[in-house]
Amino acid sequence: MIRSFLLQRASWISVLVLGFSTLWMAGCGDHSNPTITVSPATSLVRAGDTLQFTADVTGLAETGAIPGTPVAPSRPRRVENGNAQILQAKPNSGTGSSNPGGSSEVSWSVNGVAGGNATFGTINNTGLYTAPAVVPTAPAITVTATSVVNSLVSGEAALALENPIPAVQGAQPNPLTVGNFTLIVSGSKFAKGAQVLLDGTALQTTFVSATQLTASGTATQTQVGKGTITVGNPDPGAIISPTAYSLQIDPPLTIAVKVSPATPQIRDGGSQQFSAAVNGSSNTAVTWSVNGVAGGNSSSGTISATGIYTAPANLPNPNTVKVTATSVADSRAFDSATATLEYPIPTLASVSPQTITVGNFTITATGTNFFNGAAVVFSGQLLTTTFVNGTKLTATGTATNQQVGQVQVVVQNPDPGSADSNTLSAQVSVPQSQVTAAVASRFLEQASWGPTPTTIAQVQQSGLQGYLTQQFNAPISTYQTPGPTDGLNVVQNQLFVNATQGQDQLRQRVSFALNEIMVISGLKIGDPTAFSLWMNMLQKDAFGNYASLLNDVTLSPAMGNYLDMGNNDGCSSCRPNENYARESMQLFSIGLVLLNPDGTPQLDGSGNQIPAYTQTTVDGFAGVYSGWSYPPSPGNTAQFWANPYYSGPMLPYDSHHNKSSKLLLNGVTLPAGGTIQSDLTAALQNVFNHPNVGPFIAQQLIQKLVTSNPSPAYVSRVTQIFNDNGSGVRGDLKALVSAILLDPEARRGDDPTQVQPGDGHLREPVLHIAAVLRALNATTDGANLNYYAQNMGQQPFMSSSVFNFYPPNYQIPGTQLLGPEFKIFNSSTDIARINFVNDMVYGSVSSTTTTNISPYVGVAGDVNQLLDMVSLNMMHGQMSDGMRSTLASTLTSISDNQHRAMAALYLTAGSSQFQVEH
């Protein structure tokens, strides 16, 4: 390659000399014509170098000319690295000197461009030429000097551009190992087409930039030792870098090291035995390092010569370290393990105090290995915890009546490596003071259809949790099956009988609330047996599991009729009915939008609510709910397309079940070909496990039993119980109801000073009627009470749609408060309430409904005693001072005790303070 370069270079010089010699000889015959001679006439210049040109002007008069002689054309010469002799342009002292007034001033151009350019090089006004950084495609350059006086007079010089002399500064990797390799060579003045040479042998080279090349090749065993790296730039001016870079070439690596364990988790202060297997050498010794430090250090941990690693006392950041074993026989052979360091397992030594009273509390936990971010876990719930030091934590929380008895306490260290301590026990006890009559009365407004003297005494004696336990175990007041000629009024009457006289008050209240969430209506269903079967089912499931409730509602023939799941044909050419699929999600389980655990809507990045499902989801569930029909009526055989009958759950008919794949919630898809039962089971579990169910159902039951405006924190606490009752069970409705009724927010109103403006709810008509009946110690068979409920806007089991009589998100006009029951409250229904109270106190609602107000009459001689009794039984002892003063003034003017008692009951039951339950 170098010989080729030299031959080509000689050829260039010959052409340049011949051409310019001819020009020179042609001008020898006549010196009278003005001429400009540029020196040197021919040159070779490397890219980026400089060359000084001079111009000798003859035959032109020049003012102020400097005497001299013309400069003879130079022999071709190379100017290396800008080392050029600087010559001055001067006038010829020969014939040209006889031309006075001429000028020796010239202008310079390169390839016809005044001053040149970046492609062909530049030249300044003194004739200093600077070659371009990169040789152009046509490397022949013409430098021209033109007279300033006479632009027709000029002279030229020819030069050829050559690639620069490369310099090598480094090569990586170093050392190389025998075998195939790829090098990255760094340096300067690399030209396109440059080649990397290893010990003079060209490698396969790729030009990256003027400062970087990549090269690949194969190192052989004979090259082991020191090698040299040079770079050769190509023609024009092919040249090899004058200095070389030294490269180490090592023999093949025959030793392999394997460290185990490869990815251990090690707790702070703990230790781990590492081992290193060395293959390929009889010398199996290794040296150990941590994060590149031999033997490690106190920050990242230390390791012994035998591979025992000891984690540091404080967790580093990041919390991973690299433990490396390197072969003693060949340091090129090594392997590393990545160890993740974690907080240690805490040890709990004591909890103080060991006995905690229901309500707010603060406890102190002592032990060892506590870290900032550690939390005290009390009966499965994380407490608000303050880190004091590594041996002490303080925590605050609220103990509930549900937790009365022994509870488990642990300390949980934070991530990385979150772990629980050993378990200690604490005791939760009820307050020493007995439940007051007022607290019992208010509790019964939420946990029953209204307090009575008997149930108030029962709660006082048993306590709140004790009363709930009794109610959970009370016999169910069932609905009797209507006779063949009975109407829906028979079931409606039974509702009022159970509400006013049933011993299972809590079950009756909760089952009626569920009936208002999962709605059927007599506007479509004409058979009253559907409603007795429906209510008995809801009563059975009220304290069971929501999963069972959802399954029973789905297969109920009453629901099958009302929302068209019965005889929903899923044949291959049929489009399954969407009604139950849509409403069961929207109203019975998850709602329209994704919810946070506290019941607030989740928002996307633009602040918009996120839909909980799509039309495709509805289509999927519609297919799931196909193929079910009613149980056969007496004398008929079971078959699809059976007429509605209400003796038990609907029956499956797989031949009428949609067999296509079905998209459910959370992206779950049921594969095609599933059986009718397998599809239903999977779909109901898919709904049951959706995170919306807890807050969606919790918030509505709170609204029915306690308050229309629960705080997000209240909903969140109840949702937590729905998600896990403390024993790993999801959907426990008994635990859910207990959590609702015993929550601190439900109980804060027991103290009148803690009542908040948004607490409580308007008694819906059926609850209003039942509460008045119970306050007046009434007995009834329910006759005619439906008439009053209808006038108040809530005829039982006759909702105008599946959305119930009122929506849970109804906002009271002019306020920011929710008040669902106010949707059906207006001047007309308010008058209906007053009329009912009037008939109950002063008249009659039916011949089969009687009242007993003798306890009130017995104390009516003393207005204050009378108002105390009325306030306790009807307003949980929290009648306002203003109302009490007005009533006392009014009642004092009535001398007859019977009439005085009746007036007190009438005025109280008709008041807004009674109708809005706090």
Side-chain angles (χ1 to χ4, degrees), residues 665-696:
L665 298 169
N666 295 327
V668 173
T669 299
L670 295 181
T675 67
I676 186 171
Q677 187 61 60
S678 66
D679 276 2
L680 181 70
T681 300
L684 293 183
Q685 278 298 305
N686 177 252
V687 175
F688 173 66
N689 288 315
H690 193 282
N692 266 29
V693 176
F696 184 79

PDB file of all heavy atoms in Angstrom, residues 665-696:
ATOM      1  N   LEU A 665     -64.929  -7.871  33.798  1.00  0.00           N
ATOM      2  CA  LEU A 665     -64.275  -6.717  34.404  1.00  0.00           C
ATOM      3  C   LEU A 665     -62.768  -6.934  34.505  1.00  0.00           C
ATOM      4  O   LEU A 665     -62.288  -8.072  34.551  1.00  0.00           O
ATOM      5  CB  LEU A 665     -64.856  -6.454  35.792  1.00  0.00           C
ATOM      6  CG  LEU A 665     -66.346  -6.104  35.839  1.00  0.00           C
ATOM      7  CD1 LEU A 665     -66.843  -6.146  37.285  1.00  0.00           C
ATOM      8  CD2 LEU A 665     -66.601  -4.746  35.226  1.00  0.00           C
ATOM      9  N   ASN A 666     -62.045  -5.840  34.575  1.00  0.00           N
ATOM     10  CA  ASN A 666     -60.589  -5.860  34.770  1.00  0.00           C
ATOM     11  C   ASN A 666     -59.865  -6.621  33.673  1.00  0.00           C
ATOM     12  O   ASN A 666     -58.809  -7.216  33.905  1.00  0.00           O
ATOM     13  CB  ASN A 666     -60.222  -6.444  36.145  1.00  0.00           C
ATOM     14  CG  ASN A 666     -60.714  -5.572  37.278  1.00  0.00           C
ATOM     15  OD1 ASN A 666     -60.765  -4.352  37.152  1.00  0.00           O
ATOM     16  ND2 ASN A 666     -61.085  -6.191  38.382  1.00  0.00           N
ATOM     17  N   GLY A 667     -60.450  -6.655  32.459  1.00  0.00           N
ATOM     18  CA  GLY A 667     -59.780  -7.283  31.336  1.00  0.00           C
ATOM     19  C   GLY A 667     -59.841  -8.801  31.317  1.00  0.00           C
ATOM     20  O   GLY A 667     -59.208  -9.428  30.477  1.00  0.00           O
ATOM     21  N   VAL A 668     -60.594  -9.404  32.249  1.00  0.00           N
ATOM     22  CA  VAL A 668     -60.717 -10.868  32.284  1.00  0.00           C
ATOM     23  C   VAL A 668     -61.636 -11.319  31.156  1.00  0.00           C
ATOM     24  O   VAL A 668     -62.694 -10.728  30.930  1.00  0.00           O
ATOM     25  CB  VAL A 668     -61.275 -11.337  33.640  1.00  0.00           C
ATOM     26  CG1 VAL A 668     -61.555 -12.833  33.620  1.00  0.00           C
ATOM     27  CG2 VAL A 668     -60.303 -10.985  34.755  1.00  0.00           C
ATOM     28  N   THR A 669     -61.235 -12.366  30.452  1.00  0.00           N
ATOM     29  CA  THR A 669     -62.045 -12.913  29.366  1.00  0.00           C
ATOM     30  C   THR A 669     -62.335 -14.383  29.634  1.00  0.00           C
ATOM     31  O   THR A 669     -61.411 -15.167  29.897  1.00  0.00           O
ATOM     32  CB  THR A 669     -61.330 -12.774  28.011  1.00  0.00           C
ATOM     33  OG1 THR A 669     -61.115 -11.384  27.734  1.00  0.00           O
ATOM     34  CG2 THR A 669     -62.162 -13.384  26.892  1.00  0.00           C
ATOM     35  N   LEU A 670     -63.616 -14.735  29.587  1.00  0.00           N
ATOM     36  CA  LEU A 670     -63.986 -16.149  29.685  1.00  0.00           C
ATOM     37  C   LEU A 670     -63.831 -16.776  28.310  1.00  0.00           C
ATOM     38  O   LEU A 670     -64.337 -16.233  27.322  1.00  0.00           O
ATOM     39  CB  LEU A 670     -65.432 -16.297  30.159  1.00  0.00           C
ATOM     40  CG  LEU A 670     -65.758 -15.813  31.571  1.00  0.00           C
ATOM     41  CD1 LEU A 670     -67.225 -16.068  31.888  1.00  0.00           C
ATOM     42  CD2 LEU A 670     -64.877 -16.511  32.600  1.00  0.00           C
ATOM     43  N   PRO A 671     -63.142 -17.910  28.209  1.00  0.00           N
ATOM     44  CA  PRO A 671     -62.961 -18.522  26.888  1.00  0.00           C
ATOM     45  C   PRO A 671     -64.277 -19.054  26.346  1.00  0.00           C
ATOM     46  O   PRO A 671     -65.222 -19.349  27.089  1.00  0.00           O
ATOM     47  CB  PRO A 671     -61.968 -19.658  27.175  1.00  0.00           C
ATOM     48  CG  PRO A 671     -62.144 -19.968  28.627  1.00  0.00           C
ATOM     49  CD  PRO A 671     -62.498 -18.668  29.290  1.00  0.00           C
ATOM     50  N   ALA A 672     -64.333 -19.167  25.036  1.00  0.00           N
ATOM     51  CA  ALA A 672     -65.515 -19.721  24.385  1.00  0.00           C
ATOM     52  C   ALA A 672     -65.715 -21.172  24.810  1.00  0.00           C
ATOM     53  O   ALA A 672     -64.770 -21.876  25.144  1.00  0.00           O
ATOM     54  CB  ALA A 672     -65.371 -19.616  22.866  1.00  0.00           C
ATOM     55  N   GLY A 673     -66.979 -21.587  24.801  1.00  0.00           N
ATOM     56  CA  GLY A 673     -67.293 -22.983  25.070  1.00  0.00           C
ATOM     57  C   GLY A 673     -67.549 -23.313  26.517  1.00  0.00           C
ATOM     58  O   GLY A 673     -67.752 -24.480  26.858  1.00  0.00           O
ATOM     59  N   GLY A 674     -67.548 -22.325  27.405  1.00  0.00           N
ATOM     60  CA  GLY A 674     -67.789 -22.597  28.813  1.00  0.00           C
ATOM     61  C   GLY A 674     -69.207 -23.047  29.074  1.00  0.00           C
ATOM     62  O   GLY A 674     -70.149 -22.708  28.342  1.00  0.00           O
ATOM     63  N   THR A 675     -69.393 -23.818  30.146  1.00  0.00           N
ATOM     64  CA  THR A 675     -70.744 -24.249  30.504  1.00  0.00           C
ATOM     65  C   THR A 675     -71.479 -23.105  31.167  1.00  0.00           C
ATOM     66  O   THR A 675     -70.896 -22.125  31.631  1.00  0.00           O
ATOM     67  CB  THR A 675     -70.706 -25.451  31.454  1.00  0.00           C
ATOM     68  OG1 THR A 675     -70.151 -25.028  32.716  1.00  0.00           O
ATOM     69  CG2 THR A 675     -69.859 -26.577  30.882  1.00  0.00           C
ATOM     70  N   ILE A 676     -72.786 -23.239  31.260  1.00  0.00           N
ATOM     71  CA  ILE A 676     -73.599 -22.176  31.839  1.00  0.00           C
ATOM     72  C   ILE A 676     -73.239 -21.945  33.302  1.00  0.00           C
ATOM     73  O   ILE A 676     -73.173 -20.798  33.762  1.00  0.00           O
ATOM     74  CB  ILE A 676     -75.106 -22.516  31.662  1.00  0.00           C
ATOM     75  CG1 ILE A 676     -75.975 -21.339  32.118  1.00  0.00           C
ATOM     76  CG2 ILE A 676     -75.483 -23.789  32.420  1.00  0.00           C
ATOM     77  CD1 ILE A 676     -77.447 -21.531  31.763  1.00  0.00           C
ATOM     78  N   GLN A 677     -72.959 -23.021  34.053  1.00  0.00           N
ATOM     79  CA  GLN A 677     -72.637 -22.864  35.474  1.00  0.00           C
ATOM     80  C   GLN A 677     -71.219 -22.354  35.673  1.00  0.00           C
ATOM     81  O   GLN A 677     -70.971 -21.485  36.517  1.00  0.00           O
ATOM     82  CB  GLN A 677     -72.824 -24.189  36.211  1.00  0.00           C
ATOM     83  CG  GLN A 677     -72.664 -24.071  37.724  1.00  0.00           C
ATOM     84  CD  GLN A 677     -73.673 -23.125  38.352  1.00  0.00           C
ATOM     85  OE1 GLN A 677     -74.884 -23.326  38.260  1.00  0.00           O
ATOM     86  NE2 GLN A 677     -73.193 -22.060  38.983  1.00  0.00           N
ATOM     87  N   SER A 678     -70.267 -22.852  34.878  1.00  0.00           N
ATOM     88  CA  SER A 678     -68.883 -22.393  35.041  1.00  0.00           C
ATOM     89  C   SER A 678     -68.752 -20.924  34.681  1.00  0.00           C
ATOM     90  O   SER A 678     -68.029 -20.168  35.334  1.00  0.00           O
ATOM     91  CB  SER A 678     -67.936 -23.241  34.186  1.00  0.00           C
ATOM     92  OG  SER A 678     -68.175 -23.055  32.806  1.00  0.00           O
ATOM     93  N   ASP A 679     -69.469 -20.508  33.637  1.00  0.00           N
ATOM     94  CA  ASP A 679     -69.441 -19.091  33.263  1.00  0.00           C
ATOM     95  C   ASP A 679     -70.036 -18.224  34.362  1.00  0.00           C
ATOM     96  O   ASP A 679     -69.496 -17.168  34.704  1.00  0.00           O
ATOM     97  CB  ASP A 679     -70.212 -18.870  31.960  1.00  0.00           C
ATOM     98  CG  ASP A 679     -69.367 -19.155  30.719  1.00  0.00           C
ATOM     99  OD1 ASP A 679     -68.201 -19.553  30.883  1.00  0.00           O
ATOM    100  OD2 ASP A 679     -69.881 -18.988  29.600  1.00  0.00           O
ATOM    101  N   LEU A 680     -71.158 -18.666  34.937  1.00  0.00           N
ATOM    102  CA  LEU A 680     -71.807 -17.864  35.980  1.00  0.00           C
ATOM    103  C   LEU A 680     -70.910 -17.765  37.212  1.00  0.00           C
ATOM    104  O   LEU A 680     -70.733 -16.678  37.780  1.00  0.00           O
ATOM    105  CB  LEU A 680     -73.153 -18.479  36.356  1.00  0.00           C
ATOM    106  CG  LEU A 680     -73.927 -17.688  37.422  1.00  0.00           C
ATOM    107  CD1 LEU A 680     -74.437 -16.380  36.850  1.00  0.00           C
ATOM    108  CD2 LEU A 680     -75.080 -18.509  37.993  1.00  0.00           C
ATOM    109  N   THR A 681     -70.352 -18.880  37.635  1.00  0.00           N
ATOM    110  CA  THR A 681     -69.485 -18.878  38.823  1.00  0.00           C
ATOM    111  C   THR A 681     -68.302 -17.948  38.630  1.00  0.00           C
ATOM    112  O   THR A 681     -67.979 -17.131  39.503  1.00  0.00           O
ATOM    113  CB  THR A 681     -68.993 -20.304  39.119  1.00  0.00           C
ATOM    114  OG1 THR A 681     -70.131 -21.150  39.361  1.00  0.00           O
ATOM    115  CG2 THR A 681     -68.092 -20.316  40.341  1.00  0.00           C
ATOM    116  N   ALA A 682     -67.654 -18.047  37.464  1.00  0.00           N
ATOM    117  CA  ALA A 682     -66.490 -17.200  37.200  1.00  0.00           C
ATOM    118  C   ALA A 682     -66.875 -15.731  37.117  1.00  0.00           C
ATOM    119  O   ALA A 682     -66.161 -14.852  37.625  1.00  0.00           O
ATOM    120  CB  ALA A 682     -65.810 -17.639  35.905  1.00  0.00           C
ATOM    121  N   ALA A 683     -68.002 -15.438  36.497  1.00  0.00           N
ATOM    122  CA  ALA A 683     -68.424 -14.048  36.331  1.00  0.00           C
ATOM    123  C   ALA A 683     -68.783 -13.408  37.665  1.00  0.00           C
ATOM    124  O   ALA A 683     -68.419 -12.260  37.936  1.00  0.00           O
ATOM    125  CB  ALA A 683     -69.606 -13.976  35.373  1.00  0.00           C
ATOM    126  N   LEU A 684     -69.505 -14.131  38.509  1.00  0.00           N
ATOM    127  CA  LEU A 684     -69.888 -13.565  39.809  1.00  0.00           C
ATOM    128  C   LEU A 684     -68.664 -13.366  40.695  1.00  0.00           C
ATOM    129  O   LEU A 684     -68.590 -12.385  41.454  1.00  0.00           O
ATOM    130  CB  LEU A 684     -70.916 -14.465  40.497  1.00  0.00           C
ATOM    131  CG  LEU A 684     -72.289 -14.541  39.810  1.00  0.00           C
ATOM    132  CD1 LEU A 684     -73.246 -15.400  40.623  1.00  0.00           C
ATOM    133  CD2 LEU A 684     -72.884 -13.154  39.603  1.00  0.00           C
ATOM    134  N   GLN A 685     -67.688 -14.252  40.602  1.00  0.00           N
ATOM    135  CA  GLN A 685     -66.455 -14.049  41.349  1.00  0.00           C
ATOM    136  C   GLN A 685     -65.696 -12.838  40.813  1.00  0.00           C
ATOM    137  O   GLN A 685     -65.073 -12.083  41.573  1.00  0.00           O
ATOM    138  CB  GLN A 685     -65.564 -15.297  41.265  1.00  0.00           C
ATOM    139  CG  GLN A 685     -65.932 -16.385  42.250  1.00  0.00           C
ATOM    140  CD  GLN A 685     -65.790 -15.921  43.694  1.00  0.00           C
ATOM    141  OE1 GLN A 685     -64.742 -15.466  44.119  1.00  0.00           O
ATOM    142  NE2 GLN A 685     -66.876 -16.027  44.450  1.00  0.00           N
ATOM    143  N   ASN A 686     -65.751 -12.649  39.499  1.00  0.00           N
ATOM    144  CA  ASN A 686     -65.106 -11.490  38.884  1.00  0.00           C
ATOM    145  C   ASN A 686     -65.709 -10.193  39.425  1.00  0.00           C
ATOM    146  O   ASN A 686     -64.987  -9.243  39.751  1.00  0.00           O
ATOM    147  CB  ASN A 686     -65.276 -11.581  37.360  1.00  0.00           C
ATOM    148  CG  ASN A 686     -64.702 -10.385  36.631  1.00  0.00           C
ATOM    149  OD1 ASN A 686     -65.445  -9.553  36.120  1.00  0.00           O
ATOM    150  ND2 ASN A 686     -63.385 -10.305  36.556  1.00  0.00           N
ATOM    151  N   VAL A 687     -67.027 -10.147  39.547  1.00  0.00           N
ATOM    152  CA  VAL A 687     -67.690  -8.961  40.115  1.00  0.00           C
ATOM    153  C   VAL A 687     -67.360  -8.839  41.598  1.00  0.00           C
ATOM    154  O   VAL A 687     -66.998  -7.765  42.092  1.00  0.00           O
ATOM    155  CB  VAL A 687     -69.213  -9.043  39.907  1.00  0.00           C
ATOM    156  CG1 VAL A 687     -69.907  -7.881  40.616  1.00  0.00           C
ATOM    157  CG2 VAL A 687     -69.547  -9.045  38.430  1.00  0.00           C
ATOM    158  N   PHE A 688     -67.497  -9.940  42.330  1.00  0.00           N
ATOM    159  CA  PHE A 688     -67.293  -9.933  43.781  1.00  0.00           C
ATOM    160  C   PHE A 688     -65.906  -9.417  44.156  1.00  0.00           C
ATOM    161  O   PHE A 688     -65.737  -8.704  45.151  1.00  0.00           O
ATOM    162  CB  PHE A 688     -67.498 -11.352  44.310  1.00  0.00           C
ATOM    163  CG  PHE A 688     -67.154 -11.521  45.780  1.00  0.00           C
ATOM    164  CD1 PHE A 688     -67.889 -10.880  46.764  1.00  0.00           C
ATOM    165  CD2 PHE A 688     -66.105 -12.333  46.171  1.00  0.00           C
ATOM    166  CE1 PHE A 688     -67.581 -11.040  48.106  1.00  0.00           C
ATOM    167  CE2 PHE A 688     -65.782 -12.501  47.504  1.00  0.00           C
ATOM    168  CZ  PHE A 688     -66.532 -11.849  48.476  1.00  0.00           C
ATOM    169  N   ASN A 689     -64.912  -9.746  43.351  1.00  0.00           N
ATOM    170  CA  ASN A 689     -63.528  -9.363  43.677  1.00  0.00           C
ATOM    171  C   ASN A 689     -63.141  -7.995  43.137  1.00  0.00           C
ATOM    172  O   ASN A 689     -62.007  -7.559  43.337  1.00  0.00           O
ATOM    173  CB  ASN A 689     -62.557 -10.422  43.148  1.00  0.00           C
ATOM    174  CG  ASN A 689     -62.608 -11.704  43.958  1.00  0.00           C
ATOM    175  OD1 ASN A 689     -62.613 -11.667  45.183  1.00  0.00           O
ATOM    176  ND2 ASN A 689     -62.678 -12.837  43.271  1.00  0.00           N
ATOM    177  N   HIS A 690     -64.050  -7.327  42.451  1.00  0.00           N
ATOM    178  CA  HIS A 690     -63.728  -5.984  41.949  1.00  0.00           C
ATOM    179  C   HIS A 690     -63.566  -5.034  43.129  1.00  0.00           C
ATOM    180  O   HIS A 690     -64.363  -5.026  44.063  1.00  0.00           O
ATOM    181  CB  HIS A 690     -64.831  -5.489  41.019  1.00  0.00           C
ATOM    182  CG  HIS A 690     -64.438  -4.278  40.229  1.00  0.00           C
ATOM    183  ND1 HIS A 690     -64.417  -3.016  40.766  1.00  0.00           N
ATOM    184  CD2 HIS A 690     -64.036  -4.145  38.934  1.00  0.00           C
ATOM    185  CE1 HIS A 690     -64.026  -2.148  39.851  1.00  0.00           C
ATOM    186  NE2 HIS A 690     -63.790  -2.809  38.725  1.00  0.00           N
ATOM    187  N   PRO A 691     -62.507  -4.194  43.127  1.00  0.00           N
ATOM    188  CA  PRO A 691     -62.258  -3.313  44.277  1.00  0.00           C
ATOM    189  C   PRO A 691     -63.343  -2.278  44.517  1.00  0.00           C
ATOM    190  O   PRO A 691     -63.395  -1.675  45.597  1.00  0.00           O
ATOM    191  CB  PRO A 691     -60.925  -2.644  43.923  1.00  0.00           C
ATOM    192  CG  PRO A 691     -60.745  -2.851  42.460  1.00  0.00           C
ATOM    193  CD  PRO A 691     -61.437  -4.119  42.115  1.00  0.00           C
ATOM    194  N   ASN A 692     -64.224  -2.046  43.555  1.00  0.00           N
ATOM    195  CA  ASN A 692     -65.318  -1.085  43.770  1.00  0.00           C
ATOM    196  C   ASN A 692     -66.384  -1.582  44.735  1.00  0.00           C
ATOM    197  O   ASN A 692     -67.099  -0.781  45.340  1.00  0.00           O
ATOM    198  CB  ASN A 692     -66.004  -0.772  42.441  1.00  0.00           C
ATOM    199  CG  ASN A 692     -65.453   0.467  41.763  1.00  0.00           C
ATOM    200  OD1 ASN A 692     -64.294   0.800  41.945  1.00  0.00           O
ATOM    201  ND2 ASN A 692     -66.276   1.148  40.991  1.00  0.00           N
ATOM    202  N   VAL A 693     -66.543  -2.901  44.846  1.00  0.00           N
ATOM    203  CA  VAL A 693     -67.692  -3.439  45.576  1.00  0.00           C
ATOM    204  C   VAL A 693     -67.706  -2.952  47.021  1.00  0.00           C
ATOM    205  O   VAL A 693     -68.741  -2.519  47.537  1.00  0.00           O
ATOM    206  CB  VAL A 693     -67.710  -4.982  45.511  1.00  0.00           C
ATOM    207  CG1 VAL A 693     -68.863  -5.537  46.351  1.00  0.00           C
ATOM    208  CG2 VAL A 693     -67.837  -5.463  44.078  1.00  0.00           C
ATOM    209  N   GLY A 694     -66.556  -3.011  47.690  1.00  0.00           N
ATOM    210  CA  GLY A 694     -66.501  -2.603  49.092  1.00  0.00           C
ATOM    211  C   GLY A 694     -66.994  -1.194  49.313  1.00  0.00           C
ATOM    212  O   GLY A 694     -67.962  -0.959  50.056  1.00  0.00           O
ATOM    213  N   PRO A 695     -66.366  -0.177  48.678  1.00  0.00           N
ATOM    214  CA  PRO A 695     -66.833   1.192  48.909  1.00  0.00           C
ATOM    215  C   PRO A 695     -68.240   1.452  48.375  1.00  0.00           C
ATOM    216  O   PRO A 695     -68.981   2.244  48.957  1.00  0.00           O
ATOM    217  CB  PRO A 695     -65.785   2.050  48.177  1.00  0.00           C
ATOM    218  CG  PRO A 695     -65.102   1.132  47.229  1.00  0.00           C
ATOM    219  CD  PRO A 695     -65.130  -0.219  47.882  1.00  0.00           C
ATOM    220  N   PHE A 696     -68.622   0.795  47.283  1.00  0.00           N
ATOM    221  CA  PHE A 696     -69.946   1.035  46.693  1.00  0.00           C
ATOM    222  C   PHE A 696     -71.056   0.560  47.630  1.00  0.00           C
ATOM    223  O   PHE A 696     -72.014   1.294  47.906  1.00  0.00           O
ATOM    224  CB  PHE A 696     -70.042   0.314  45.345  1.00  0.00           C
ATOM    225  CG  PHE A 696     -71.328   0.578  44.603  1.00  0.00           C
ATOM    226  CD1 PHE A 696     -71.502   1.760  43.907  1.00  0.00           C
ATOM    227  CD2 PHE A 696     -72.353  -0.354  44.603  1.00  0.00           C
ATOM    228  CE1 PHE A 696     -72.683   2.013  43.214  1.00  0.00           C
ATOM    229  CE2 PHE A 696     -73.537  -0.116  43.916  1.00  0.00           C
ATOM    230  CZ  PHE A 696     -73.699   1.068  43.214  1.00  0.00           C
TER     231      PHE A 696
END
